[in-house]
């Protein structure tokens, strides 16, 4: 058992009455967005003046912007004035036992192999065995603190490490970067802050903690990761079970700064509620994720498995500023039923000898639309830049769509850029071959899809990869006749 | 002739049209004039395309419309005999030579050879009045849906160009050579409209050469619609060799029916700002389209190839191959789209875009796109940007070939992958010769008719 | 074990099998021969449950049960194994994962516990020897990048793993050189028991020198037009199929 497992084991087996009785902050401010609302949010969080200024600047930018419409998505108009921008921490319907939870959800939990106690936590069941997030948090904190690693909520970071936050906030994603990033910058509720000091390798995957920590951070979370010289961290973000979240809009921002020779791996398994089979409900997921490889020889690697949300608009990007820096993007995006995804990456080569790799695997089923959109840009001074992009689409059924929109902009003759894209389907012969060996169609499809996505799934940490594999199979259920 | 100096933008073009509506409608049948108003409205709303238009993301046309130029809504007879300037020395290519001047069908064309019975080769305006039963059926049927402001500007203001009709079961063996000339004492905006109709089981090839005869500033907005009936074969080969002050905006719409074949190749040798819109719609099963292109650009030339192929029905095939060799401060743009419609099963569509940058300052923007709404298809695209293959260069030098010559060999081999697709040997050889001279720097822009060039 | 009565099958509305009758008992080896296009592979695929073919008439019982009602995977679990003429490539799906899933599905069907990873690997090692298949192949994705001969050996390897009651070898000799043919035939013979049966579908007599049939049937134009002992195979090799066609035409 690893140290991480021990901590979790301890936390989950302990009896601790936490429940959902903590309705200290049930105050919800009126719906709508204006400068006063931004001020109220900042005041409620007891933020310093510079933080309020950051929010106000973002808000003023946002007012001047229009919602982007270039993506291959059909989104009904969103009324930003009908949303409440401060409802901390969100209260879930309290259920007295798992029997009251949607049986379909329980079925999914079981298929994913999520432990019973965690199931209750995820489903929002108010029972006494809810994971003790406080003790997990503190236990982790001790281990991390020994190495000088800072890992805390964003709100805490603003209070406890204002200089660090002030120095790096908005570096990768400026307040006025795009419509959704500006909105997030104005009203973000909370999120995580992570700082790895010089020369430190973070000893554990920062995953479970985050899963618990972030369960209620709400619609507008913000993450800032700073990896100082020669440091390393692997960060896992994920909701590994379908949250039946009633929120329609999620606009998160993730910023990563990698200094000299630092390496950051950021893995996501996104499985927000995708809406029902008729396309009703579901999350609109508008996420801005960007990392800057600021130092020479630094590396940022994004891995994502996107199976949820009604609409996904997400382009985790790398700005390769330092010489010899390296960006990677590995993605599996699966859409079924009425889901729509427009996702990909941007690799901006600025430093010399910078390299980037893009591997994108799209899977479309039902009547969904799945698009890859990516930019590879080589600036004038980016001598010897290299990029290889592989974008594959797998279509399941004749009512879905798979689209590829790469952009390549090259202003340096020493660059070598290659892009390849293919489209395929699961052949009936492959399924029959598996059938003939005694494997049922559903399992055969799951197997073939996982085989197709293997190159990306292999990039995920082990425990995450297993969950992701199961998710892919589950998300495709009912998509094959 | 109308004095049109000092207007600089789309709105002024609209004003020019509304102030001279009668002159624009003069001589044209109702169906042509009827299409003008809706197109003008669309053009007015969109304006001259800038980078905020996703389809013109890398080619801002506003600056090129800032210069002063004339628009000529009536045919003006030339004082010199253009046939005296153009004499073709390639016997296989001189059967049919058709001259167009500033967008108009040349009034003294006399090198149009004998065509089989029923073939019509004439001025579009003339044909629209004389053969309305053919022209009206196809005029603005394939371009009307376009949102491109340059297409709409053309529909609104163009009055003439080439009309070419091949009846059912007729094959025209010799390539038809069209010399498209810009030649005026003033800076000029020319609007040219062509229509090509191929009847069932017919066959023809057109070689379309764009030239500028003097150094004046020209904008050519040229639009061709092309309708290919079942079992026909149509080759359209465009050779662009204008001077560096010329702007060439060319749109080509093809409607390809069952079992028909479209073969097109766009070779851009020179030009200031060049934009080629090619839209192919495969609307009958087993239709096939080859859409290829080669760009050689240097100095401050800017060449944008914007391709879109629609697979509207099952069992069609298409192939795109575009290459750019960019030197000095030139910019190359490629945007190629394959759209497989719902239920267009068994589609096979391939696209390849390869680019070589020769200088520190050349830039390439490429946007290969796939929109796939059917599952039983084979589609792929690939794009590369790079420098000349150093290993190949070294290999050649190690065999004793000088570096300069070795570079030329490699570049020519790169370019020839496009040219070798041209199924007309005499044309292919001619283009290979032109490309080689262009790569050697021996072919300047606008050396009269490139196909006539005496060695 | 297997009884086929008046079996008719069509693909895209075209009738390929036009009334097949065949009886296979445990321990028997049947060879089905015939010229190209006679319906041999169709018969093999229909028995395995390929959905492209529609059974329009007739019945097939296997181990006392109606085979035609069973899904392809159930037929496999009940003991029918098809060695494919053209084994398909499944990119990204490892042989190990694929076989482990298949073996455990069979075990579950037979009321057995799934094999543990170590047990499974031991079983693989053991069975690999039968067809002299290298670990390099089993470490790859299913059939991906395999040569023609490797694919066929891989089929027999899977047969060894799944221990079917009725093995149908569809043109297993095609694309094999003489050494590979011997290895494949040895594999099949090694797996032979008095309880299981084999149907060898082949165009040539060559394979039957190694796998000696008890009965030889000639399939022509969707029907079995001649049945006899193994001597029929030699006669066909010597005289070709034309005399059969003439006989059938009479």
């Amino acid at each position: 058992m690893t140290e991480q497992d021990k901590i979790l084991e301890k936390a989950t087996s302990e009896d601790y009455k936490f429940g959902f009785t903590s309705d200290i902050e049930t105050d919800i401010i009126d719906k709508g967005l204006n400068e006063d609302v931004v001020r109220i949010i900042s005041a409620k969080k007891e933020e310093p003046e510079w933080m309020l200024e950051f929010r106000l600047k973002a808000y003023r930018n946002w007012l001047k912007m229009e919602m982007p419409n270039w993506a291959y998505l059909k989104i009904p108009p969103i009324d930003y004035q009908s949303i409440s921008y401060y409802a901390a921490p969100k209260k879930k319907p309290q259920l007295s036992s798992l029997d009251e939870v949607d049986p379909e959800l329980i079925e999914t939990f079981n298929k994913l192999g999520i432990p019973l106690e965690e199931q209750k936590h995820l489903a929002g069941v108010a029972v006494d065995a809810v994971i003790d997030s406080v003790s997990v948090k503190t236990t982790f904190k001790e281990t991390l603190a020994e190495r000088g690693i800072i890992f805390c909520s964003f709100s805490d970071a603003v209070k406890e490490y204002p200089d660090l936050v002030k120095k790096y906030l908005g570096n990768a994603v400026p307040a006025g970067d795009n419509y959704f990033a500006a909105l997030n910058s104005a009203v973000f509720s909370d999120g995580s802050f992570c700082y790895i000091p010089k020369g430190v390798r973070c000893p554990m995957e920062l995953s479970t903690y985050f899963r618990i920590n972030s369960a209620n951070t709400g619609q507008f979370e913000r993450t800032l990761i700073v990896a100082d010289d020669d440091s390393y961290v692997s960060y896992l973000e994920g909701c590994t079970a379908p949250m039946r979240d009633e929120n329609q809009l999620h606009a998160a921002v993730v910023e990563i700064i990698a200094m000299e020779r630092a390496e950051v791996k950021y893995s996501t398994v996104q499985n927000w509620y995708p809406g029902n089979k008729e396309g009703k409900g579901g999350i609109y997921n508008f996420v801005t994720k960007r990392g800057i490889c600021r130092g020479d020889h630094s590396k940022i690697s994004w891995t994502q498995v996107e199976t949820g949300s009604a609409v996904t608009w997400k382009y985790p990007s790398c700005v390769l500023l330092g010489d010899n820096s390296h960006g990677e993007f590995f993605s599996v995006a699966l859409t079924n039923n009425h889901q729509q995804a427009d996702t990909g990456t941007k690799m901006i080569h600025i430093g010399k000898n910078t390299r980037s790799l893009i591997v994108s695997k799209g899977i479309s089923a039902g009547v969904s639309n799945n698009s890859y959109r990516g930019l590879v840009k080589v600036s004038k001074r980016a001598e010897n830049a290299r990029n290889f992009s592989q974008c594959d689409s797998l279509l399941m059924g004749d009512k879905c769509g798979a689209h590829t929109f790469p952009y390549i902009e090259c202003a340096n003759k020493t660059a070598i850029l290659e892009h390849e894209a293919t489209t395929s389907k699961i052949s009936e012969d492959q399924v029959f071959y598996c059938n003939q060996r005694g494997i049922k169609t559903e399992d055969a499809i799951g197997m073939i899809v996982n085989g197709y996505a293997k190159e990306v799934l292999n990039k995920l940490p082990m425990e995450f990869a297993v969950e992701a594999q199961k998710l892919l199979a589950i998300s495709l259920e009912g998509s094959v006749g | 002739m109308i004095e049109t100096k000092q207007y600089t933008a789309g709105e002024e073009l609209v004003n020019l049209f509304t102030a001279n509506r009668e002159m624009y409608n003069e001589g044209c049948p109702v169906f042509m004039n009827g299409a003008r108003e809706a197109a003008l409205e669309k053009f007015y709303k969109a304006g001259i395309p800038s980078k905020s238009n996703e389809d013109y993301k890398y080619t801002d046309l506003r600056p090129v419309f800032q210069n002063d130029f004339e628009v000529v809504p009536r045919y003006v007879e030339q004082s010199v005999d253009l046939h005296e300037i153009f004499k073709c020395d390639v016997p296989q290519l001189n059967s049919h030579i058709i001259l167009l001047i500033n967008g108009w069908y040349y009034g003294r064309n006399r090198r149009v050879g004998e065509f089989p019975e029923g073939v019509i080769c004439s001025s579009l305006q003339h044909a629209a009045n004389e053969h309305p039963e053919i022209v009206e059926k196809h005029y603005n049927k394939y371009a009307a849906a376009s949102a491109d402001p340059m297409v709409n500007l053309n529909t609104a203001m163009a009055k003439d160009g080439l009309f070419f009709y091949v009846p059912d079961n007729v094959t025209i063996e010799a390539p038809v050579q069209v010399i498209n000339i810009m030649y005026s004492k003033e800076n000029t905006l020319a609007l040219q409209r062509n229509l090509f109709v191929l009847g069932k089981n017919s066959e023809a090839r057109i070689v379309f050469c764009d030239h500028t005869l003097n150094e004046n500033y020209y904008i050519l907005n040229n639009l061709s619609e092309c309708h290919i009936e079942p079992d026909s074969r149509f080759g359209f080969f465009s050779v662009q060799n204008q001077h560096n002050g010329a702007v060439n905006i060319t749109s080509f719409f093809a409607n390809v029916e069952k079992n028909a074949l479209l073969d097109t190749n766009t070779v851009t040798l020179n030009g200031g700002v060049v934009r080629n819109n090619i839209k192919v719609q495969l609307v009958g099963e087993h239709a096939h389209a080859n859409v290829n292109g080669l760009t050689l650009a240097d100095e401050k030339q800017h060449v944008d190839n914007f391709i879109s192929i629609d697979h509207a029905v099952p069992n069609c095939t298409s192939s795109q191959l575009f290459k750019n060799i960019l030197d000095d401060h030139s910019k190359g743009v490629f945007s190629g789209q394959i759209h497989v419609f719902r239920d267009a099963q068994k589609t096979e569509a391939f696209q390849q875009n390869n680019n070589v940058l020769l200088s520190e300052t050349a830039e390439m923007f490429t946007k290969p796109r796939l929109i796939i709404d059917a599952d039983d298809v084979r589609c792929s695209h690939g794009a590369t940007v790079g420098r000349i293959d150093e290993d190949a260069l070294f290999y050649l030098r190690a065999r004793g070939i000088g570096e300069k010559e070795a570079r030329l060999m490699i570049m020519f081999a790169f370019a020839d992958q496009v040219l070798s697709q041209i199924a007309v040997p005499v044309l292919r050889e001619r283009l290979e010769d032109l490309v080689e001279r262009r790569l050697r720097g021996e072919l300047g822009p606008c050396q009269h008719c490139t196909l006539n060039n005496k060695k | 074990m297997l009884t086929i009565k008046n079996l008719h099958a069509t693909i895209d509305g075209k009738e390929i099998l036009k009334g097949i009758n065949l009886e296979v008992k445990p321990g028997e080896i049947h060879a089905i021969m015939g010229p190209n296009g006679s319906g041999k592979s169709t018969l093999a695929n229909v028995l395995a449950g390929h959905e492209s073919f529609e059974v329009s008439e007739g019945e097939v019982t296997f181990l006392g049960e109606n085979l035609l009602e069973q899904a392809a995977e159930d037929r496999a679990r009940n003991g029918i194994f098809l060695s494919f003429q053209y084994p398909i490539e499944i990119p990204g799906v490892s042989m190990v994962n694929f076989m482990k899933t298949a073996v455990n599905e069979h075990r579950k069907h037979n009321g057995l516990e799934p094999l543990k990873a170590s047990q499974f690997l031991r079983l693989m090692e053991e069975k690999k020897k039968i067809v002299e298949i290298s670990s390099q192949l089993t470490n790859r994705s299913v059939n991906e990048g395999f040569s023609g001969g490797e694919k066929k050996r891989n089929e027999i390897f899977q047969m060894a793993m799944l221990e079917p009651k009725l093995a149908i070898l569809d043109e297993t000799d095609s694309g094999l050189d003489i050494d590979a043919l011997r290895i494949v035939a040895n594999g099949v013979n090694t797996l032979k028991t008095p309880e299981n049966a084999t149907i060898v579908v082949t165009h040539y007599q060559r394979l039957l020198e190694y796998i000696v049939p008890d009965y030889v049937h000639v399939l022509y134009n969707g029907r079995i037009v001649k049945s006899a002992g193994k001597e029929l195979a030699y006669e066909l090799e010597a005289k070709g199929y034309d005399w059969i066609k003439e006989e059938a035409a009479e």
Side-chain angles (χ1 to χ4, degrees), chain A residues 123-148:
Chain A
V125 177
V127 289
D128 46 10
V130 165
I131 295 180
D132 176 358
S133 62
V134 174
S135 67
V136 169
K137 190 169 143 187
T138 43
T139 323
F140 264 114
K141 262 195 166 171
E142 280 165 20
T143 318
L144 296 174
E146 282 169 19
R147 291 167 172 83

Side-chain angles (χ1 to χ4, degrees), chain B residues 1-4 7 13 16-28 32-33 36 69-77 101-104 125 156-160 188-192:
Chain B
M1 206 178 286
I2 300 164
E3 275 299 305
T4 55
Y7 62 80
L13 279 168
L16 174 77
F17 178 86
T18 41
N20 300 281
R21 186 173 268 113
E22 278 169 31
M23 206 180 292
Y24 276 96
N25 288 340
E26 182 186 277
C28 294
M32 278 177 80
N33 295 334
R36 297 188 195 283
F69 46 76
E70 282 188 353
V71 185
V72 189
R74 276 186 185 137
Y75 176 65
V76 181
E77 194 56 79
I101 174 86
N102 301 334
W104 301 81
Q125 198 184 101
M157 294 179 78
K159 295 190 68 177
D160 195 24
T188 302
L189 164 65
L191 293 135
Q192 176 180 346

Side-chain angles (χ1 to χ4, degrees), chain A residues 77-347:
Chain A
I78 296 169
D79 182 1
Y80 292 90
Q81 294 305 332
S82 72
I83 297 169
S84 175
Y85 290 85
Y86 189 75
K90 193 158 48 59
K91 209 178 152 189
K92 291 191 169 291
Q94 287 189 22
L95 308 173
S96 56
S97 80
L98 272 180
D99 298 341
E100 292 176 30
V101 177
D102 183 352
E104 216 180 301
L105 190 58
I106 297 292
E107 178 69 17
T108 309
F109 283 152
N110 289 334
K111 282 178 183 161
L112 284 171
I114 292 175
L116 184 71
E117 293 312 320
E118 200 172 335
Q119 286 189 21
K120 289 177 180 171
H121 172 73
L122 290 166
V125 177
V127 289
D128 46 10
V130 165
I131 295 180
D132 176 358
S133 62
V134 174
S135 67
V136 169
K137 190 169 143 187
T138 43
T139 323
F140 264 114
K141 262 195 166 171
E142 280 165 20
T143 318
L144 296 174
E146 282 169 19
R147 291 167 172 83
I149 296 169
I150 301 168
F151 190 32
C152 61
S153 77
F154 205 95
S155 311
D156 289 350
V158 170
K159 293 194 185 83
E160 292 170 36
Y161 311 100
D163 293 344
L164 276 175
V165 176
K166 204 171 166 180
K167 185 171 171 190
Y168 293 108
L169 178 68
N171 278 17
V173 183
D177 186 75
N178 67 66
Y179 189 79
F180 300 113
L183 180 63
N184 174 287
S185 299
V187 303
F188 70 91
S189 38
D190 207 337
S192 300
F193 175 76
C194 175
Y195 175 80
I196 317 290
K198 281 183 182 158
V200 172
R201 283 185 71 85
C202 183
M204 61 187 75
E205 313 262 3
L206 297 180
S207 62
T208 319
Y209 168 78
F210 185 75
R211 179 156 74 200
I212 297 161
N213 178 55
S214 70
N216 288 321
T217 44
Q219 294 163 263
F220 304 102
E221 61 222 58
R222 186 153 191 128
T223 303
L224 175 57
I225 300 170
V226 180
D228 217 326
D229 297 352
D230 299 292
S231 68
Y232 167 84
V233 64
S234 169
Y235 195 95
L236 315 186
E237 165 209 292
C239 169
T240 55
M243 298 285 267
R244 297 300 167 108
D245 198 315
E246 71 275 18
N247 283 331
Q248 283 299 301
L249 178 67
H250 278 250
V253 169
V254 176
E255 296 183 271
I256 300 175
I257 317 287
M259 309 302 274
E260 307 245 319
R261 295 170 299 278
E263 180 177 352
V264 180
K265 281 180 73 173
Y266 193 104
S267 312
T268 308
V269 174
Q270 186 266 115
N271 189 33
W272 296 111
Y273 181 49
N276 69 9
K277 290 187 174 65
E278 283 72 48
K280 278 203 163 175
I283 304 297
Y284 296 166
N285 196 28
F286 302 107
V287 182
T288 306
K289 293 185 169 179
R290 195 173 307 145
I292 300 184
C293 284
R294 179 169 293 173
D296 294 351
H297 298 277
S298 58
K299 178 177 177 184
I300 292 176
S301 180
W302 299 98
T303 305
Q304 61 173 26
V305 176
E306 303 279 320
T307 60
S309 297
V311 172
T312 300
W313 179 101
K314 184 179 172 188
Y315 316 92
S317 306
C318 298
V319 179
L320 304 170
L321 201 59
D323 291 348
N324 301 296
S325 63
H326 190 172
E328 290 180 335
F329 175 74
F330 299 95
S331 170
V332 174
L334 182 152
T335 54
N336 196 358
N337 299 319
H338 288 263
Q339 281 177 273
Q340 306 176 68
D342 193 299
T343 183
T345 183
K346 290 191 230 174
M347 293 290 172

Side-chain angles (χ1 to χ4, degrees), chain A residues 284-455:
Chain A
Y284 296 166
N285 196 28
F286 302 107
V287 182
T288 306
K289 293 185 169 179
R290 195 173 307 145
I292 300 184
C293 284
R294 179 169 293 173
D296 294 351
H297 298 277
S298 58
K299 178 177 177 184
I300 292 176
S301 180
W302 299 98
T303 305
Q304 61 173 26
V305 176
E306 303 279 320
T307 60
S309 297
V311 172
T312 300
W313 179 101
K314 184 179 172 188
Y315 316 92
S317 306
C318 298
V319 179
L320 304 170
L321 201 59
D323 291 348
N324 301 296
S325 63
H326 190 172
E328 290 180 335
F329 175 74
F330 299 95
S331 170
V332 174
L334 182 152
T335 54
N336 196 358
N337 299 319
H338 288 263
Q339 281 177 273
Q340 306 176 68
D342 193 299
T343 183
T345 183
K346 290 191 230 174
M347 293 290 172
I348 315 290
H349 293 255
I350 299 170
K352 293 183 175 63
N353 304 314
T354 47
R355 284 176 297 155
S356 62
L357 173 65
I358 298 170
V359 179
S360 164
K361 303 273 183 177
I363 302 159
S364 332
V367 291
S368 68
N369 273 298
N370 196 330
S371 305
Y372 167 81
R373 184 182 304 275
L375 168 68
V376 174
K377 185 179 175 128
V378 177
S379 71
K380 278 223 173 336
R381 51 162 289 222
E383 293 282 315
N384 294 313
R386 295 282 180 278
N387 164 267
F388 178 75
S389 305
Q390 175 74 48
C391 301
D392 296 329
S393 305
L394 186 71
L395 291 112
M396 303 181 60
D398 56 6
K399 299 285 181 283
C400 54
H403 320 301
T404 318
F405 305 101
Y407 295 67
I408 301 168
E409 305 181 4
C410 182
N412 189 300
K413 73 162 184 170
T414 60
I416 297 179
L417 314 176
E418 290 173 83
H419 173 95
E420 285 173 16
T422 65
T423 300
S424 61
K425 63 175 228 165
I426 294 181
S427 81
E428 283 155 24
D429 288 340
Q430 287 173 329
V431 174
F432 179 64
Y433 191 84
C434 295
N435 286 162
Q436 213 300 310
R437 299 300 185 249
I439 299 165
K440 65 174 189 273
T441 301
E442 209 170 61
D443 294 346
I445 302 264
M447 206 180 240
I448 295 166
V449 166
N450 275 304
Y452 162 81
K454 195 160 135 186
E455 216 180 326

Side-chain angles (χ1 to χ4, degrees), chain B residues 269-285:
Chain B
L269 296 168
N270 278 298
V273 175
V274 179
R275 162 80 171 203
N276 293 307
N277 293 312
I278 300 177
K279 170 130 184 139
V280 177
Q281 289 177 288
L282 302 171
V283 296
E285 289 199 31

